[in-house]
Amino acid sequence: RVAALRGHKVTLCDKGNKLGGQLILACIPPDKKDKIEPLINYYKAEIKKLGIKVELGKEVARQSIEKAKPEVVILATGVVPFIPEIAGVERPNVVEVTDVLEGRREVGKNVVIIGAELVGCETANLLADKGKNVVVARRGPRVATKMAVGPRRVLLNSLAEKGVTLFTGVKYDEIVDRGLVITTKEGERQLIEADTVIIASG
């Protein structure tokens, strides 16, 4: 949008089939769609108004860039999820949070989420709405620390009302077939039983 406003001829490519990237994921948790979808629609309207060429379902390769001969290529491909080094993280009962949000992976009745910032907590809220028994665990002493005070309070109250258990100050020892083994902040080794372990650690 900004490049087009400055007079550049812009082509926007994405291997996905719709515009929005992580904003699409951000619409999924409870009470978020009405807040974020208007932003996506705004950008779609701006792109159309400014005559930006959009190519969806296209993974850009070196050959296509060389053929187009652009003066500048801007990479805005997002992030790679952080996978913590925990024994057993490669087990089949472990899934990455974006796969859950996008519906690519199903989760069992009992779920433990590793990571308790915004994405982990909102995913817990979503799964609790679907009738899952959810535990959220994190190494730090507090959850959802990067949120503004008001929305954080609303989210934490919602998690409490839905029976989501929060473990803070833990050490992740091992992921096993039956769930996640932790050491609590009191030094007690404990198994959090879960059918599915979700990685939402950043």
Side-chain angles (χ1 to χ4, degrees):
R1 177 183 173 273
V2 171
L5 285 170
R6 292 177 180 176
H8 299 285
K9 182 180 177 183
V10 181
T11 301
L12 181 62
C13 303
D14 197 294
K15 69 179 179 179
N17 58 7
K18 53 186 174 180
L19 293 173
Q22 292 202 13
L23 289 175
I24 297 168
L25 290 179
C27 286
I28 296 170
D31 305 319
K32 294 298 286 287
K33 186 171 183 173
D34 292 345
K35 296 178 178 73
I36 295 175
E37 196 170 54
L39 179 60
I40 298 173
N41 293 335
Y42 164 76
Y43 279 123
K44 286 178 180 176
E46 286 290 289
I47 285 167
K48 186 175 180 180
K49 181 175 82 177
L50 294 167
I52 296 168
K53 183 180 178 184
V54 177
E55 296 182 0
L56 296 175
K58 177 180 180 179
E59 188 161 355
V60 177
R62 180 179 182 145
Q63 295 82 359
S64 59
I65 293 173
E66 289 173 347
K67 185 178 177 183
K69 294 183 171 59
E71 293 167 326
V72 176
V73 175
I74 298 173
L75 296 179
T77 52
V79 297
V80 175
F82 171 71
I83 307 298
E85 291 183 18
I86 305 170
V89 75
E90 73 291 337
R91 287 181 174 274
N93 59 333
V94 179
V95 299
E96 207 274 314
V97 69
T98 55
D99 288 337
V100 174
L101 291 173
E102 291 180 350
R104 291 193 299 262
R105 293 286 300 271
E106 292 294 320
V107 301
K109 176 70 175 170
N110 300 307
V111 177
V112 61
I113 298 175
I114 293 176
E117 281 301 341
L118 180 62
V119 174
C121 288
E122 287 190 335
T123 301
N125 206 20
L126 174 71
L127 294 175
D129 276 351
K130 294 182 176 182
K132 308 296 183 183
N133 301 316
V134 185
V135 175
V136 179
R138 82 164 303 171
R139 292 177 175 138
R142 299 174 69 229
V143 303
T145 59
K146 297 173 184 173
M147 294 182 70
V149 174
R152 179 178 184 268
R153 187 178 300 119
V154 170
L155 178 57
L156 294 182
N157 286 344
S158 179
L159 294 175
E161 288 166 8
K162 295 171 186 177
V164 173
T165 303
L166 303 175
F167 278 100
T168 58
V170 307
K171 177 179 174 285
Y172 307 127
D173 293 329
E174 183 182 9
I175 298 170
V176 295
D177 287 339
R178 292 176 54 210
L180 174 66
V181 180
I182 62 168
T183 299
T184 68
K185 57 188 171 188
E186 293 79 23
E188 177 188 344
R189 191 171 162 90
Q190 180 176 337
L191 170 67
I192 303 173
E193 293 197 27
D195 307 305
T196 309
V197 177
I198 299 175
I199 305 293
S201 50

